[in-house]
Amino acid sequence: MAKFRHYALVRAESELALVQRESEIPKLAADQVLIRMKAASLNYRDLLTIADVQGNKDGLVPLSDGAGEVQAVGSDVRQWSVGDRVSTAFFPTWRSGAFSPAHLAVALGGGQTDGVLSDYVIAQQDAIVAVPEYLSFEQAATLPCAGVTVWQALFARGQIQAGQTVLVQGTGGVALIAMQLANAAGARVIVISSSDEKLAKAKQLGAWQGINYRATPDWDRAAIELTDGIGVDHILELGGPTTYDRSIAAIAPGGQIAQIGVLSGFGSQPNMTPLQFKNASVNGICVGSVEHFKALNLFMEKSRIEPVIDQQFGFSEVPQAYDYLRAAGHFGKVCITID
C-alpha cells in the first residue's frame, strides 16, 4: 500500500516530542473521503496539547485546522468529487444544532483523535466544508478553529449589529479574524496589545482604535472613554484570569462577553456581580459546528475577507513553527504548507 508522511506526538520521558513518521493509507469506508492535505495552521490549543503528556494518546497526529483537495471518495459519497477543495471541521460530529459534550472527545488533534498534520486525512463526508474559491489553501487552513470560534461568538450567539463596538484582546489569529469579520458587519473594533507596532498594523487593517495595555494598564477605563462612557458591546475574552475583571468592567449594558481563551491560564474567578446590574452576559464559546463553518464561509465569500498570515513554514519545519508560535511574537496565523 502507498505510504504517506505525518507528524506524531510521541512520549519521551516526561514530555511529548514531535516525530515525523510514515504510515500506510487505510481503505475508505463507503461514506468517507480521502483528502490530500495542502496546508495546516497552528492554534494556542496545540501548545497546550504538546505539553499535556497524560491527556493525549502516544502517537497522536496533532493540529485541528487544515485544508486540502479530495483525492478519492467512498462508494456512497455524492456531495464531493475528486479535486474538490475542502477544509476539515474542528468537531467532526457537531454538524448542527445544540452542542453536546460528546463532541469534545473527538475534536481533531487532541486526546485520542488524530488531527491533520499529515499528507492525507480521511474524513466523513458531512464533516468537511468547501473552501471559498478565492482563498489559498493556507488562508483556508486558518479558519476551522479561529474563524468558526469568532463566527459563533459574534454572529451565531452574539448577533452583532452594524454600529456596535467590539473589543479584541491581542493580535493573534482569533483576534484579527474577529476584527475583519466585525468590520465587514459594520462594527467598530478596539484592539488591545502590548505592542505599538502591532497596534499600528491593526489600524492599517481596519481597527477603529488601539490601546497599549502596558502603557495603559487600566485599558477597561480607556475603552469606556472611547465609547463615550457607555462601554463595549462585544468583548472576545481571550486572556483568562489577568483580563476577566477588566472585561466585565468594560462591557456595556446589555453587552456580551465571549469566553474563548485561556492565554494567561485557567481558573478565572472574576467578580460576576457587575454583569447583573448591567444586564450583560457571558457566552461560553468552544469553536462551532459544521453549519457554523458553512455560514462563516458564505459571509467571507461575500465580503472577500483574506485571513492574516504571519508566517508560513514547510512540512520539515514544523518544530520551528511550534517554537515561533510559542514565542508569541506573531501577528495573525502561523501556517504550515504541506508540500
Side-chain angles (χ1 to χ4, degrees), residues 163-337:
Q164 290 186 325
T165 309
V166 178
L167 184 143
V168 299
Q169 297 171 350
T171 54
V174 172
L176 291 187
I177 193 65
M179 182 187 74
Q180 291 175 295
L181 291 169
N183 280 341
R188 304 179 302 175
V189 180
I190 301 170
V191 178
I192 68 169
S193 170
S194 62
S195 166
D196 287 335
E197 181 182 356
K198 289 181 178 180
L199 288 173
K201 286 183 181 179
K203 285 188 176 182
Q204 288 176 351
L205 284 171
W208 172 57
Q209 299 285 349
I211 302 171
N212 186 317
Y213 63 78
R214 285 196 178 150
T216 308
D218 294 338
W219 57 262
D220 50 325
R221 295 183 183 179
I224 292 170
E225 290 174 6
L226 288 171
T227 54
D228 299 323
I230 297 171
V232 181
D233 298 299
H234 300 270
I235 296 178
L236 267 64
E237 174 49 56
L238 297 165
T242 63
T243 55
Y244 223 121
D245 281 318
R246 294 194 185 280
S247 289
I248 291 173
I251 200 68
Q256 299 183 61
I257 298 172
Q259 164 57 39
I260 292 171
V262 290
L263 294 178
S264 66
F266 293 87
S268 295
Q269 294 182 327
N271 176 14
M272 307 295 281
T273 303
L275 292 176
Q276 176 183 350
F277 297 103
K278 292 183 177 184
N279 282 290
S281 59
V282 174
N283 292 328
I285 303 292
C286 188
V287 197
S289 67
V290 175
E291 286 301 316
H292 288 142
F293 201 169
K294 290 178 180 178
L296 165 69
N297 280 344
L298 285 173
F299 185 84
M300 291 193 61
E301 214 158 13
K302 179 181 177 181
S303 306
R304 281 298 194 265
I305 295 169
E306 296 193 6
V308 179
I309 296 174
D310 182 293
Q311 290 288 339
Q312 294 179 199
F313 292 83
F315 196 73
S316 63
E317 301 173 312
V318 167
Q320 292 95 310
Y322 270 78
D323 289 342
Y324 187 79
L325 182 69
R326 193 177 287 110
H330 55 290
F331 182 88
K333 293 291 286 186
V334 178
C335 290
I336 295 159
T337 298

Side-chain angles (χ1 to χ4, degrees), residues 9-10 15 26 50 52 58 65 77 101 128 150 153 184 192 214-215 226 231 239 252 314 320 332:
L9 297 182
V10 179
E15 60 183 22
I50 198 171
D52 186 3
D58 188 26
D65 292 17
V77 175
I128 55 178
V150 170
I192 68 169
R214 285 196 178 150
L226 288 171
Q320 292 95 310

Side-chain angles (χ1 to χ4, degrees), residues 8-265:
L9 297 182
V10 179
R11 289 196 178 97
E13 297 180 357
S14 61
E15 60 183 22
L16 293 173
L18 274 166
V19 176
Q20 192 176 146
R21 287 179 167 176
E22 281 194 349
S23 296
E24 294 181 344
I25 300 175
K27 293 183 67 174
L28 282 178
D31 60 349
Q32 292 179 327
V33 297
L34 177 68
I35 305 168
R36 173 68 170 95
M37 301 305 295
K38 298 290 188 178
S41 77
L42 287 162
N43 295 293
Y44 182 70
R45 170 195 185 235
D46 300 311
L47 298 181
L48 299 177
T49 298
I50 198 171
D52 186 3
V53 179
Q54 301 303 319
N56 298 286
K57 71 174 182 178
D58 188 26
L60 176 76
V61 179
L63 307 196
S64 59
D65 292 17
E69 196 171 84
V70 174
Q71 190 82 8
V73 299
S75 58
D76 291 344
V77 175
R78 298 292 180 267
Q79 65 190 102
W80 305 107
S81 301
V82 172
D84 286 346
R85 302 166 77 240
V86 297
S87 286
T88 51
F90 183 94
F91 289 120
T93 58
W94 188 11
R95 310 288 161 68
S96 62
F99 180 72
S100 165
H103 300 315
L104 288 170
V106 292
L108 296 184
Q112 306 299 307
T113 305
D114 287 335
V116 301
L117 192 51
S118 174
D119 282 331
Y120 289 95
V121 166
I122 288 178
Q124 297 298 120
Q125 63 175 330
D126 49 2
I128 55 178
V129 300
V131 168
E133 194 174 299
Y134 74 99
L135 293 180
S136 69
F137 284 114
E138 285 79 10
Q139 290 172 324
T142 69
L143 299 175
C145 181
V148 177
T149 294
V150 170
W151 182 264
Q152 190 193 172
L154 291 182
F155 292 79
R157 299 274 289 282
Q159 296 294 301
I160 189 171
Q161 301 294 316
Q164 290 186 325
T165 309
V166 178
L167 184 143
V168 299
Q169 297 171 350
T171 54
V174 172
L176 291 187
I177 193 65
M179 182 187 74
Q180 291 175 295
L181 291 169
N183 280 341
R188 304 179 302 175
V189 180
I190 301 170
V191 178
I192 68 169
S193 170
S194 62
S195 166
D196 287 335
E197 181 182 356
K198 289 181 178 180
L199 288 173
K201 286 183 181 179
K203 285 188 176 182
Q204 288 176 351
L205 284 171
W208 172 57
Q209 299 285 349
I211 302 171
N212 186 317
Y213 63 78
R214 285 196 178 150
T216 308
D218 294 338
W219 57 262
D220 50 325
R221 295 183 183 179
I224 292 170
E225 290 174 6
L226 288 171
T227 54
D228 299 323
I230 297 171
V232 181
D233 298 299
H234 300 270
I235 296 178
L236 267 64
E237 174 49 56
L238 297 165
T242 63
T243 55
Y244 223 121
D245 281 318
R246 294 194 185 280
S247 289
I248 291 173
I251 200 68
Q256 299 183 61
I257 298 172
Q259 164 57 39
I260 292 171
V262 290
L263 294 178
S264 66

